Amino acid sequence: MPLSPTLRRRLGAILLPIALLAAPLPVVAANETEDDLPVAEIQAFAEVFERIKRAYVEEVDDATLLHNAMRGMLSELDPHSSYLDAEAYENLRESTQGEFGGVGIEVGKRDGQITVITPIDDTPASRAGLQAQDTILRINDTPTEGMSLQEAVDLMRGDPGTDIRLTIIRQGEDAPRNITLEREVIRTQSVKSDTLAPGYGYLRISQFQARTGDQVVNALNELTDDGPLQGLVLDLRNNPGGVLQAAVDVADAFLDDGRIVYTEGRLADSELSFYANRATAAPDVPLVVLINGGSASAAEIVAGALQDQRRGVVMGTESFGKGSVQQIMPLGENEALKLTTARYFTPSGRSIQAQGIKPDVEVVRGRLEVAQDNGLRVREADLEGHLSGNGKDAESGELNARLRDDYQLGEALNLLKALNVLDERKR
């Protein structure tokens, strides 16, 4: 069917900017010939465009229709590619700067539903007990069925001090639950460190930001101020990822040789490979890496590199499986594309995408309950006139509250202690 003059004008208006934008893109392969534009599909698109303009119940301007078309093109590629309008682009820039207003939750789409990837540490979401893989059914009174990720993020962000109600369903539970959160200014601190026991350190990375690698080195130096570590727990649970170079820097803090990660894509500049340097902050410390279903992207890069290089024991549950690389491609001053351009691979060639990292030792999340003594057992200390100890401080034998409440962390510390016992017996 021949195009009407009106359709021809609109088709030209659409195809001209497409041709101008496409011209400077890199060539995919030297021997690949450029295909002609699919005229039939373009004609169908222009006809849909024209019919919406002419017959839709409300008037819609051309810019809105074209923006919607761009959103549709990108959203159908994969869950992480998207068109960023001025507001979404600004939200992204706020997030990467480490401060924004909201509830502190990383979301994705799984089976078409808005799903929690991870709550961010020390935020309303984490304090309320939201967990990785919780499905969000409603945001306030708005059902999330058919909602885009950007729409969900926009609804959850807001002025600090205002309330938001999430209706979620959790795996293994029959009924949904309502959780009310108060929005606050989210200031993300990516690295925390602590001492679990004398000689045993704890390093928590909540996400990978530009300076995370430097912060990890500083934390390791502080942990070793009182002497060398006998073991270290690297906690990457509920870490949604972040900056690729930061993940490389963190892995490099524990490795003095070998590949850390590489990427493969269609464009030449998307094929990268990263290697460890000899200068290493903690090359010999016994290491346990904790992961779970909320560990994604850059967190999986670190866990996969340390696992493949046999540098540490990976413990916990299977990670999320986000092994794709997104590039932010500005469109003018206020808009951008977030486009998936490559896949991550571990040093041994394992694809992280949709596979995740499987732990060497599987330990599920839980709480250790200590059985209460019935009061009938008699110990030496109960006998009248018993000899006292030698006056030195001794371990009480009671689990501290933190390890009791975090079974995975307690098991990681136990494993490090067991490894040291075996090492001592070999000497």
Side-chain angles (χ1 to χ4, degrees), residues 154-172:
D154 290 343
L155 283 175
M156 286 187 285
R157 287 191 173 181
D159 295 331
T162 59
D163 286 344
I164 179 175
R165 187 179 69 258
L166 301 181
T167 303
I168 68 164
I169 186 72
R170 182 166 294 167
Q171 290 182 354

Side-chain angles (χ1 to χ4, degrees), residues 143-210:
T144 60
E145 183 72 28
M147 184 181 291
S148 71
L149 278 178
Q150 190 56 52
E151 289 172 329
V153 169
D154 290 343
L155 283 175
M156 286 187 285
R157 287 191 173 181
D159 295 331
T162 59
D163 286 344
I164 179 175
R165 187 179 69 258
L166 301 181
T167 303
I168 68 164
I169 186 72
R170 182 166 294 167
Q171 290 182 354
E173 296 183 357
D174 296 328
R177 59 170 76 181
N178 290 316
I179 298 177
T180 299
L181 307 169
E182 182 178 329
R183 296 182 181 94
E184 62 184 44
V185 176
I186 306 300
R187 295 182 178 91
T188 57
Q189 182 180 352
S190 68
V191 178
K192 295 180 182 178
S193 61
D194 200 359
T195 299
L196 297 175
Y200 294 91
Y202 173 78
L203 193 60
R204 164 71 181 157
I205 304 177
S206 60
Q207 59 183 307
F208 289 87
Q209 298 172 347

Side-chain angles (χ1 to χ4, degrees), residues 240-425:
V243 179
L244 169 60
Q245 186 59 52
V248 172
D249 293 342
V250 169
D252 195 13
F254 301 98
L255 296 169
D256 56 14
D257 192 19
R259 179 184 267 172
I260 293 173
V261 65
Y262 67 96
T263 64
E264 289 184 354
R266 295 175 61 214
L267 301 178
D269 63 358
S270 65
E271 296 192 358
L272 305 171
S273 193
F274 298 86
Y275 292 85
N277 296 307
R278 270 190 196 285
T280 299
D284 302 318
V285 178
L287 185 64
V288 171
V289 184
L290 286 177
I291 62 171
N292 66 2
S295 306
S297 191
E300 294 173 293
I301 288 172
V302 174
L306 297 176
Q307 187 179 55
D308 279 6
Q309 299 282 18
R310 301 189 177 184
R311 175 60 187 83
V313 177
V314 178
M315 176 182 282
T317 55
E318 191 171 331
S319 65
F320 183 77
K322 182 189 178 294
S324 58
V325 183
Q326 282 73 46
Q327 287 188 22
I328 305 302
M329 303 177 176
L331 302 173
E333 294 183 1
N334 300 318
E335 299 174 328
L337 300 182
K338 186 171 73 168
L339 189 65
T340 299
T341 57
R343 288 183 174 89
Y344 293 123
F345 293 86
T346 70
S348 66
R350 292 182 294 159
S351 172
I352 295 171
Q353 179 59 27
Q355 304 295 321
I357 301 297
K358 292 180 173 58
D360 301 307
V361 180
E362 184 173 5
V363 178
V364 299
R365 186 174 180 272
R367 174 186 169 91
L368 183 61
E369 298 290 348
V370 180
Q372 297 296 317
D373 192 355
N374 60 12
L376 300 179
R377 185 177 62 163
V378 178
R379 303 182 64 201
E380 171 71 15
D382 299 320
L383 299 178
E384 186 176 350
H386 67 271
L387 293 174
S388 62
N390 61 8
K392 295 180 180 178
D393 290 337
E395 292 183 8
S396 66
E398 296 180 2
L399 292 171
N400 66 44
R402 182 178 183 186
L403 296 179
R404 184 175 64 246
D405 291 341
D406 191 340
Y407 181 66
Q408 291 172 324
L409 181 57
E411 287 299 286
L413 179 58
N414 287 338
L415 177 58
L416 285 171
K417 289 182 175 180
L419 291 173
N420 273 314
V421 169
L422 291 173
D423 187 53
E424 287 293 331
R425 289 180 177 177

Side-chain angles (χ1 to χ4, degrees), residues 63-81:
T64 297
L65 286 177
L66 288 171
H67 286 158
N68 289 342
M70 288 188 283
R71 287 190 185 92
M73 279 193 292
L74 289 153
S75 65
E76 290 298 313
L77 295 175
D78 65 78
H80 308 292
S81 295

Side-chain angles (χ1 to χ4, degrees), residues 124-146:
S126 64
R127 293 193 289 270
L130 282 167
Q131 298 179 13
Q133 300 185 32
D134 285 347
T135 299
I136 301 175
L137 303 178
R138 284 178 174 268
I139 301 173
N140 290 325
D141 295 323
T142 306
T144 60
E145 183 72 28

